[in-house]
């Protein structure tokens, strides 16, 4: 896959380094987006769109059909058109879901370590209590601790659970059996599940299984909201479009009414055009990107095993985000920053950002880039660690 140097293109990952890390001269391996050209079908559709007048946009039926077809064919999820709410991203949708599906004083649970905006969606929603239930870690393998999961729900009277499926940052693609247990516990206690499935298409081809849609498990569809998008799959974050699937009519009503009351129900044409084009014509591009990502992971894994075996790496079942433990060399986030940022000149997401309090010595590396960048990052890490 061709590499695009995105410096100077208003890329948050590259051009936002100074703002986020206080230093512009770093190898950017943080924010989860890709350094690859957009799928040609997307560029072509957007070019055609800008030739027309850019007045107010209304979601076409063809968009809903493309979403329904993608969900059915790729993920075995039979979605009805009226279940789909379009939002300008999943992070805003998470915030709105917390506000509309819970009341002040309610508890909302997440499984840490997890994509940090999950925690922000709860903290920013005013008077909701955040419950951080840690995943169980054996070596570098993460799974649910079902006893603790249920205990935390009961103890805190949890009303809403935000699931990450596949899970950023630990790279798990939850199995049907795992999801069955999670869904059964939530159902037993009347806990609504928001399942963020934005990484659903980024699954390691070598894994030999696909992501299972949480809503298709355990006869609890009415209690599950699926949040998905083409944005991670096809690298379309800038056009801000995601599809929120809410089968339960009351929940859908609360969610949509909130959007309408906030006048957030107008939609952006670029996002729709890009998403539909990608879902309809992007399959070959995606295949190529997956080869690149998991080839990069294989390189990273082999390189660390050969040159720096003390750095521990989770298996990458899904996502393009490698979760690495620098605990042999670092204790605190400050130590990790000193090693990665000050000495190696690399920007990665720090483990402490992902909650749970046990991941200060971790960092997350974005693999959706050139092999050269991965090699360069490995060279720098190996060299600096060798210096002691
Ligand atoms: C689990 C997860 N959800 C949501 C997002 C971002 O969603 P959006 O850009 O649609 O707000 C990301 C981006 O990394 C993510 O990893």
């Amino acid at each position: 896959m061709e590499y695009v140097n995105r410096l100077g293109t208003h890329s948050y990952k590259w051009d936002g380094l100074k703002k986020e890390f206080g230093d512009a001269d770093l190898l950017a391996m943080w924010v989860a987006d890709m350094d690859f050209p957009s799928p040609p079908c997307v560029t072509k559709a957007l070019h055609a769109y800008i030739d027309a007048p850019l007045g107010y946009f209304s979601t076409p039926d063809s968009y809903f059909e493309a979403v329904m077809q993608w969900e059915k064919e790729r993920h075995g999820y039979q979605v009805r058109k009226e279940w789909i709410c379009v939002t300008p991203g999943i992070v805003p949708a998470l915030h709105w879901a917390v506000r509309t599906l819970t009341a002040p004083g309610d508890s909302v649970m997440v499984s840490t370590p997890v994509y940090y905006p999950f925690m922000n969606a709860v903290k920013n929603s005013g008077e909701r209590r955040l419950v951080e239930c840690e995943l169980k870690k054996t070596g570098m393998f993460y799974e649910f601790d079902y006893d603790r999961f249920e205990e935390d729900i009961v103890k805190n009277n949890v009303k809403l659970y935000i699931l990450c499926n596949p899970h950023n940052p630990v790279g798990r693609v939850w199995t049907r059996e795992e999801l069955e247990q999670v869904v059964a516990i939530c159902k037993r206690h009347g806990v609504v599940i928001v399942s963020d499935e934005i990484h659903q298409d980024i699954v390691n081809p070598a894994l030999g299984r696909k992501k299972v849609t949480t809503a298709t498990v355990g006869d609890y569809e009415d209690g599950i909201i699926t949040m998905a998008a083409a944005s991670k799959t096809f690298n379309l974050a800038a056009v801000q479009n995601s599809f929120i699937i809410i089968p339960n009519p009351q929940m859908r009503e609360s969610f949509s009414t909130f959007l309408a009351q906030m006048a957030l129900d107008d939609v952006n044409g670029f996002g729709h055009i890009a998403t539909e084009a990608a879902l309809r014509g992007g399959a070959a591009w995606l295949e190529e990107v997956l080869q690149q990502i998991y080839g990069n992971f294989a390189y990273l894994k082999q390189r660390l095993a050969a040159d720096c075996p003390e750095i521990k790496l989770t298996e990458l079942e899904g996502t393009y985000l490698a979760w690495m433990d620098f605990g042999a060399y670092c204790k605190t986030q400050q130590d990790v920053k000193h090693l990665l940022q000050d000495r190696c000149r690399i920007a990665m997401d720090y483990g402490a950002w992902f909650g749970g309090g046990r991941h200060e010595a971790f960092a997350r590396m974005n693999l959706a880039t050139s092999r050269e960048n991965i090699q360069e990052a490995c060279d720098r890490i190996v060299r600096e660690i060798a210096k002691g």
Side-chain angles (χ1 to χ4, degrees), residues 56-77:
Y56 290 110
F57 190 86
S58 122
T59 305
D61 276 346
S62 57
Y63 171 92
F64 290 112
E65 281 153 18
V67 168
M68 290 188 289
Q69 192 178 349
W70 187 264
E71 288 302 314
K72 181 160 175 262
E73 286 174 7
R74 296 259 165 175
H75 302 290
Y77 188 24

Side-chain angles (χ1 to χ4, degrees), residues 32 89-92 115 118 164 168 196 198-199 231-232 237 242 321:
I90 289 194
V91 171
Y115 180 58
F118 282 20
C164 200
N168 166 13
D196 177 341
I198 196 171
H199 292 279
S231 55
K232 214 51 73 183
S242 47
L321 308 162

Side-chain angles (χ1 to χ4, degrees), residues 291-328:
Q291 294 304 323
Q292 173 81 26
I293 289 167
Y294 293 102
N296 282 349
F297 178 71
Y299 175 86
L300 175 70
K301 188 175 165 183
Q302 163 273 317
R303 191 65 203 280
L304 293 181
D307 295 338
C308 251
E310 300 285 308
I311 299 175
K312 306 280 183 249
L313 182 65
T314 50
E315 262 316 313
L316 200 63
E317 295 183 347
T319 81
Y320 49 80
L321 308 162
W323 184 234
M324 299 160 69
D325 179 359
F326 292 89

Side-chain angles (χ1 to χ4, degrees), residues 189-237:
H189 299 285
V191 177
V192 172
I193 302 176
V194 165
S195 187
D196 177 341
E197 308 199 358
I198 196 171
H199 292 279
Q200 62 180 355
D201 301 300
I202 316 286
V203 172
N204 192 338
L207 184 63
R209 58 183 169 86
K210 292 170 85 174
K211 177 224 73 166
V212 174
T213 300
T214 312
T216 63
V217 163
D219 196 23
Y220 189 43
E221 193 174 63
D222 245 19
I224 300 174
I225 293 177
T226 306
M227 299 197 171
S231 55
K232 214 51 73 183
T233 311
F234 296 104
N235 202 36
L236 305 174

Side-chain angles (χ1 to χ4, degrees), residues 233-265:
T233 311
F234 296 104
N235 202 36
L236 305 174
V239 296
Q240 295 189 300
N241 183 280
S242 47
F243 32 95
I244 311 303
I245 304 168
I246 316 181
N248 181 312
Q250 284 84 34
M251 288 186 200
R252 201 165 60 237
E253 175 68 18
S254 324
F255 189 80
S256 318
T257 304
F258 179 78
L259 263 63
Q261 283 170 345
M262 295 287 134
L264 291 165
D265 50 351

